[in-house]
Amino acid sequence: MKNESNLAESTVTTPEIREKKSNIITKFKSTYGPGILAVLTWLGAGDLVTSSVAGADYGYSLMWILALSLLLRYLIVNVIARFQLCNTEGLTLLEGYGRLHPFFGYFLFGYALIMGHLFNSYMIKGAGEVLSILLHINQPFLGSVIVVGLVLLLIGRNIYNTIENVMKIILALMTIAFLVLAFQSTPDVGQIVKGTIGFSIPSDTGVHGALLVAVSIIGAVAGSISNFVHPYFMKEKGWVNPNHLKVQRNDLLFAIGVCIVINLAIWIVGAEILRPNNIHVETITDLGQALQLALGQTGWLIFYLGVFAVLFASIVGKSTGYPRLVTDAYYVINKKRRDKYEGQYNKDPMSKWIMIFVLVTPIIWSIPGMPGFITLTIVVNALNVVGFPVIAIGMLILSNKKSLMGNYRNNWFENVCLFLSSGLAIWSAVQLAISFF
């Protein structure tokens, strides 16, 4: 009887447990979504390289730059999302910029087109180098050609969804490996706190100058035009009005939290493993030594497969996302073309040509003799700050227009932060110009 009673209890409670688990999963899916997709878009080679280089070359002294950049990313993307959800005329972000002045439409069109090319330049180069190492062929340029060919063959096909899921699993393994290494290395919490509130630029001790690395972090995190993709993910999720404001904010907080954890883990590995071993990150093999030193051949394989997954998924993401961004910007300039294709960029043949441009032309950066992957990554992400002042100042004006935002205009704190971010953007751009010339 006792066994029968236990069996009866289990048959009653098991469906309840399953239903509870199902409700939790359903709630998670309904609450979080665009933020997770944004993390996959944001976290690429830029974060991996800049955080590891900063940690390996300068310890935790530049940590305040990362903290400030992540804070600004949250602020800027939150303001962008609120404009998308709450403006009174249902304008897209790019249409809003176009309302301010025609200059913004022309600038964002050209800027997005150029940055789409440059982002893919280091990603294709890096993916080619990694593929060359994995296949033991010592032909990085051939590897880059193979990568571009694979993307052209797979993009838009159903099989890519399966490949993307495999890539995400490999990426998750690499992320877990970095988290484990960061925990095992017993990071110096005092130095992390000191670096986070230090607000100073150390003297140059690494291969790459401290100022260039700092500006590159700002460009990769706060100033990236990739922040503009978030509204597209919200629209696909069905978040289109002010009722979704709270859930969007929670989703974005979750995304930024994930970014903080992953960037901090990579930084710690650079500071606690690469730096003590006097390893400067000049090539992608230098970056892989952290996992190889700690985990042997398994760590070596996880790292290179993980980096390839990051790069390959990013190439596909940039090659599909930037044509949409560039086409939308062009529709702000040319409203007749927008009306001709009813605002449907996928019907416009121009978007396909833009896709080919941002995917195929970057192969020139993989030709032997061009700058290395690490250098190219740092310089391209630093160049992000060129557009940051225009984006920040435009957003400051746009998000305070009473005619468009009504009661959803910025509060005083957001305005102060956006004003300071505009100043930081201008300072970064000036410092970048000085360092080059």
Side-chain angles (χ1 to χ4, degrees):
M1 292 292 293
K2 189 175 182 179
N3 291 339
E4 290 178 1
S5 177
N6 291 338
L7 181 61
E9 288 179 6
S10 66
T11 56
V12 172
T13 57
T14 299
E16 292 176 353
I17 293 171
R18 287 177 179 172
E19 184 178 354
K20 189 178 290 185
K21 288 181 178 178
S22 176
N23 289 337
I24 292 172
I25 294 171
T26 302
K27 187 176 180 180
F28 182 84
K29 287 182 176 180
S30 63
T31 305
Y32 300 103
I36 296 173
L37 291 172
V39 169
L40 293 173
T41 302
W42 293 339
L43 289 173
D47 296 75
L48 182 65
V49 170
T50 54
S51 292
S52 59
V53 168
D57 289 349
Y58 301 102
Y60 298 111
S61 58
L62 290 173
M63 183 64 75
W64 68 275
I65 292 286
L66 178 63
L68 181 61
S69 295
L70 286 167
L71 174 64
L72 290 177
R73 167 169 275 177
Y74 172 75
L75 174 75
I76 290 169
V77 177
N78 189 54
V79 172
I80 287 172
R82 188 170 67 234
F83 177 84
Q84 186 83 5
L85 294 174
C86 302
N87 78 81
T88 57
E89 297 183 30
L91 301 175
T92 66
L93 179 63
L94 291 173
E95 286 173 336
Y97 271 101
R99 285 285 186 89
L100 295 179
H101 194 277
F103 163 78
F104 285 97
Y106 286 101
F107 177 83
L108 289 171
F109 171 75
Y111 181 61
L113 190 63
I114 292 169
M115 293 311 298
H117 166 87
L118 290 176
F119 275 130
N120 267 349
S121 69
Y122 70 80
M123 290 178 185
I124 290 171
K125 187 180 185 73
E129 289 184 8
V130 173
L131 189 62
S132 174
I133 292 169
L134 286 170
L135 298 178
H136 302 287
I137 59 176
N138 194 29
Q139 294 290 335
F141 178 71
L142 178 60
S144 295
V145 173
I146 292 172
V147 168
V148 171
L150 285 173
V151 174
L152 282 170
L153 287 173
L154 296 173
I155 204 165
R157 297 179 183 271
N158 292 333
I159 190 174
Y160 177 72
N161 293 329
T162 304
I163 295 173
E164 186 180 36
N165 290 331
V166 174
M167 296 287 186
K168 289 176 183 177
I169 293 170
I170 297 171
L171 175 58
L173 287 174
M174 186 181 73
T175 302
I176 291 170
F178 271 107
L179 289 171
V180 170
L181 282 185
F183 182 77
Q184 289 180 342
S185 65
T186 58
D188 191 329
V189 178
Q191 288 297 316
I192 293 176
V193 173
K194 183 180 177 181
T196 304
I197 59 176
F199 297 100
S200 63
I201 302 291
S203 57
D204 295 345
T205 57
V207 176
H208 306 283
L211 184 61
L212 179 61
V213 174
V215 173
S216 184
I217 294 170
I218 294 170
V221 180
S224 177
I225 197 172
S226 297
N227 292 331
F228 275 42
V229 305
H230 192 62
Y232 295 123
F233 296 142
M234 291 195 308
K235 188 175 181 180
E236 290 173 5
K237 183 72 174 179
W239 297 353
V240 293
N241 58 57
N243 294 329
H244 299 115
L245 202 57
K246 184 177 180 180
V247 68
Q248 172 274 321
R249 192 180 298 118
N250 292 335
D251 176 62
L252 183 59
L253 277 171
F254 172 77
I256 294 296
V258 172
C259 286
I260 290 171
V261 171
I262 295 176
N263 274 287
L264 183 59
I266 295 170
W267 198 303
I268 289 171
V269 168
E272 303 290 350
I273 297 179
L274 296 178
R275 187 173 174 82
N277 286 282
N278 199 30
I279 299 173
H280 295 286
V281 183
E282 299 181 59
T283 66
I284 202 164
T285 53
D286 296 328
L287 192 54
Q289 286 190 55
L291 267 65
Q292 190 171 1
L293 286 170
L295 303 174
Q297 189 64 21
T298 301
W300 181 92
L301 188 61
I302 289 174
F303 172 78
Y304 283 109
L305 286 175
V307 172
F308 184 79
V310 168
L311 293 168
F312 192 83
S314 295
I315 292 166
V316 174
K318 294 290 188 293
S319 300
T320 54
Y322 270 80
R324 180 172 185 172
L325 186 60
V326 174
T327 304
D328 280 353
Y330 187 71
Y331 285 165
V332 173
I333 302 169
N334 190 333
K335 293 180 175 59
K336 289 183 179 179
R337 191 176 184 92
R338 181 190 63 189
D339 295 339
K340 179 180 179 181
Y341 293 101
E342 301 175 340
Q344 301 294 318
Y345 78 97
N346 55 328
K347 295 180 180 179
D348 192 336
M350 184 179 77
S351 66
K352 295 179 181 178
W353 286 109
I354 294 171
M355 186 270 289
I356 292 173
F357 174 79
V358 299
L359 177 58
V360 176
T361 59
I363 198 74
I364 64 174
W365 295 96
S366 297
I367 296 172
M370 286 294 198
F373 167 66
I374 300 296
T375 299
L376 197 58
T377 301
I378 290 174
V379 171
V380 169
N381 280 283
L383 287 173
N384 250 326
V385 301
V386 172
F388 191 18
V390 176
I391 292 170
I393 293 170
M395 183 50 59
L396 181 63
I397 299 170
L398 197 59
S399 55
N400 280 289
K401 286 182 73 70
K402 187 175 182 180
S403 59
L404 280 177
M405 299 305 296
N407 294 329
Y408 293 103
R409 287 175 295 166
N410 294 343
N411 57 42
W412 69 268
F413 178 75
E414 289 171 326
N415 280 328
V416 168
C417 290
L418 270 177
F419 180 77
L420 292 176
S421 68
S422 300
L424 177 64
I426 294 170
W427 174 85
S428 301
V430 170
Q431 295 300 317
L432 182 65
I434 291 172
S435 67
F436 272 114
F437 297 107

